[in-house]
Amino acid sequence: MTESLRVVVADDQALVRTGFRMILESEGIEVVAEATNGVEAVEAVRRTRPDVVLMDIRMPEMDGLEATRQIGSRDADGPRVIILTTFDLDRYVYAALSAGASGFLLKDVSPEHLAGAVRMVRSGDALLAPAITRRLVERFARGDGDTTVVHRDLAALTPRELEVMGLLGRGLSNAELAGRLQLSEATVKTHVARILAKLRIRDRAQAVVVAYETGLVSVGGSAATR
């Protein structure tokens, strides 16, 4: 028996909410609430405690970016947030990743990809491949003042974990990390899990963002000298 999966859909367009609900429920994924703005999304999360939130960026009263930030600040073990956007790699997506989102989807996503994405972030994976996240971060890191930089203390990391973190920030996969560091993939997975736990970040996409925002990796892709 598969574990139940609970989702909140937040979008100010009724057609989008209805379509997503139909797709998810046809895949056995429960939509526990719908929200038409960020205020309703935050309240729905508090009331229903879902596993995943599909969050539109541009909504009235409170946008999806602020709602994502509030959801993340209220509960470190709260739901994963997937940002919905009509623009590929727009600047709001980077801001949302910085606020705690686990990835993003275009609104014209296929039904199969939508259901797969929800299951993926629920399992703890980042929705964005690290290399894609890296390109996104490089485009907007240290850019305009609209993004909120969350400073993380890297002092908790061991020298080896700092090395792994720097390579994570450059978009390397576990297999690539293992080859570069001459470690087993199991050992790499252990290092990655410890890094995420120590820095209180949820997934590899967040690790890429933090690596840039702390200066561990510089824009351009090289690890910074520390």
Side-chain angles (χ1 to χ4, degrees):
M1 180 178 177
T2 58
E3 184 180 358
S4 62
L5 213 170
R6 296 158 52 82
V7 175
V8 167
V9 178
D11 196 291
D12 61 343
Q13 298 180 46
L15 189 61
V16 172
R17 297 195 309 274
T18 300
F20 280 9
R21 174 186 282 275
M22 292 176 62
I23 292 168
L24 293 172
E25 290 182 344
S26 72
E27 292 287 333
I29 297 171
E30 182 183 6
V31 177
V32 295
E34 295 181 15
T36 64
N37 58 57
V39 174
E40 291 181 7
V42 173
E43 170 57 24
V45 167
R46 185 199 63 78
R47 187 177 71 253
T48 65
R49 300 192 65 80
D51 301 298
V52 176
V53 181
L54 293 174
M55 182 80 75
D56 187 23
I57 289 181
R58 298 174 182 175
M59 296 185 291
E61 293 192 53
M62 178 192 294
D63 64 18
L65 177 59
E66 178 58 27
T68 298
R69 186 177 294 114
Q70 289 195 19
I71 289 168
S73 66
R74 290 185 179 200
D75 186 356
D77 297 320
R80 308 285 175 139
V81 176
I82 298 175
I83 294 297
L84 302 172
T85 179
T86 54
F87 303 99
D88 191 8
L89 301 186
D90 76 12
R91 65 192 178 93
Y92 296 108
V93 175
Y94 170 68
L97 288 172
S98 296
S102 293
F104 78 100
L105 287 172
L106 298 181
K107 288 190 180 182
D108 62 358
V109 61
S110 69
E112 296 79 12
H113 193 186
L114 175 64
V118 168
R119 291 191 176 101
M120 183 184 298
V121 298
R122 175 63 180 86
S123 71
D125 290 333
L127 181 55
L128 291 177
I132 296 174
T133 312
R134 174 188 165 190
R135 290 197 296 270
L136 178 65
V137 173
E138 283 189 340
R139 182 175 174 186
F140 296 110
R142 302 180 180 85
D144 60 42
D146 292 340
T147 60
T148 301
V149 176
V150 179
H151 294 286
R152 307 277 181 169
D153 184 6
L154 300 183
L157 302 184
T158 66
R160 174 63 93 181
E161 288 167 351
L162 274 173
E163 187 176 16
V164 172
M165 180 69 174
L167 295 174
L168 277 178
R170 294 169 60 188
L172 273 65
S173 66
N174 282 352
E176 291 168 333
L177 280 165
R180 179 72 64 88
L181 300 175
Q182 297 185 320
L183 299 171
S184 70
E185 285 196 48
T187 300
V188 168
K189 288 179 181 178
T190 299
H191 282 309
V192 172
R194 287 175 177 168
I195 289 167
L196 299 184
K198 286 182 178 181
L199 298 182
R200 294 175 289 107
I201 52 183
R202 294 184 175 186
D203 51 44
R204 298 171 74 95
Q206 292 290 301
V208 175
V209 173
V210 171
Y212 277 87
E213 291 185 338
T214 58
L216 182 63
V217 175
S218 63
V219 175
S222 60
T225 302
R226 298 183 68 85

